[in-house]
Amino acid sequence: MTETTAPVRASVVRDTRNVLVRELRPVVRDPFTLIFSLLQPLVFLGLFAPLLVGQSGEPAGATLQWFVPGVLVMIVLFGTGATGSNLQYEMMTGSHERTLVAPLSRASLLIGRALKEVAPIVVQSIVIVLIALPFGFAIDVPGLMAGLALLAVFGVGLGSLSYALALATKDREWLFWGVQQSLIFPLLILSGMLLPLDAGPEWMRAVAAVNPVNWVVRAERALFAGDLGAVEVAWGWVAALAVAVVGLWIGIRSMRRSS
């Protein structure tokens, strides 16, 4: 490491920490936003899970063991996938422009925002797990910890891509939401988080095989079952890390070009 690169890296770390603290303050001051964002996964858990139980004929606990990990990935998919709208609002109000001229590295502006998504993911996932416990859902503690870490890595990547989309669409909210919704729902359906894809058409299973969300869902199910050494876990980490690396690269590049 050269003498010049060390201070630069230290500066990025310091700036990232400052941005992260700045982004977390509104969440701490108004935790109700975290609770409100749980409405959608709670609806799926309360209304969709009983249908699965009735259809499968399995005990409620066994069905929840399959379904709850998918709901946790859904939290990440919908939560971090929409987080770019916050940045878009800042761009429309002029707040983002003031941030750009602050003595902060452009990379830290993106990385700090993306890391902020880890806190809501962990809190919301734990709440969903606790709600499912009385209905027969079982927790494997090491699997739970590994599953939360996997969700956090995946969420950082998705959040970065969402910020990049916001930077690309600027003040055109309709375009941001149009692209976001056009991508989110196919990724959701082709991940098998709501219904098994085993009986689906061949083309659907082929697309699901290259869908990173599918592998994260399968990894979460294996982890929550306590099977930490399953091949699905390895592929889930590959998918999550790939999304994180690509997302951060695209996001940082977009932030550096932002004006």
Side-chain angles (χ1 to χ4, degrees):
M1 184 183 297
T2 65
E3 294 182 1
T4 56
T5 57
V8 170
R9 292 183 181 180
S11 174
V12 171
V13 172
R14 183 186 64 250
D15 291 346
T16 298
R17 183 181 65 249
N18 292 336
V19 173
L20 175 60
V21 171
R22 170 183 174 269
E23 292 294 319
L24 283 175
R25 281 173 183 164
V27 179
V28 175
R29 287 198 298 263
D30 186 17
F32 180 76
T33 56
L34 289 178
I35 300 173
F36 182 77
S37 60
L38 282 170
L39 180 60
Q40 187 175 53
L42 285 175
V43 168
F44 275 94
L45 189 63
L47 300 181
F48 203 88
L51 295 176
L52 287 177
V53 173
Q55 186 181 36
S56 65
E58 298 288 334
T63 303
L64 288 175
Q65 211 68 34
W66 182 90
F67 186 62
V68 170
V71 172
L72 301 187
V73 180
M74 183 192 299
I75 290 174
V76 178
L77 193 63
F78 280 100
T80 60
T83 194
S85 62
N86 298 327
L87 176 58
Q88 198 171 45
Y89 175 77
E90 291 186 12
M91 287 190 288
M92 289 188 289
T93 58
S95 175
H96 179 61
E97 292 181 4
R98 293 191 293 272
T99 304
L100 290 177
V101 299
L104 297 169
S105 70
R106 291 291 181 94
S108 68
L109 292 175
L110 188 283
I111 298 172
R113 288 176 180 271
L115 289 176
K116 183 264 294 184
E117 302 306 320
V118 174
I121 288 171
V122 172
V123 172
Q124 293 171 348
S125 297
I126 291 176
V127 170
I128 290 293
V129 167
L130 292 177
I131 291 174
L133 276 179
F135 301 96
F137 183 72
I139 293 180
D140 178 83
V141 176
L144 171 64
M145 301 303 293
L148 292 177
L150 179 60
L151 291 175
V153 172
F154 188 52
V156 167
L158 282 179
S160 300
L161 290 172
S162 183
Y163 287 127
L165 177 60
L167 290 167
T169 55
K170 297 186 182 298
D171 60 345
R172 292 168 291 180
E173 281 187 284
W174 61 271
L175 184 56
F176 173 86
W177 289 112
V179 174
Q180 192 258 8
Q181 295 294 302
S182 298
L183 293 175
I184 288 293
F185 283 100
L187 288 173
L188 182 149
I189 295 170
L190 294 172
S191 68
M193 70 173 64
L194 297 179
L195 292 170
L197 297 175
D198 300 337
E202 186 175 348
W203 69 265
M204 185 175 286
R205 284 176 287 150
V207 175
V210 296
N211 178 8
V213 185
N214 172 50
W215 289 106
V216 173
V217 170
R218 294 173 68 171
E220 289 293 326
R221 285 173 179 152
L223 288 171
F224 275 82
D227 192 3
L228 277 68
V231 66
E232 289 86 358
V233 174
W235 281 111
W237 275 105
V238 169
L241 287 170
V243 171
V245 170
V246 172
L248 286 170
W249 179 75
I250 294 176
I252 292 172
R253 188 179 180 186
S254 301
M255 186 66 76
R256 284 173 175 167
R257 294 180 174 181
S258 180
S259 60

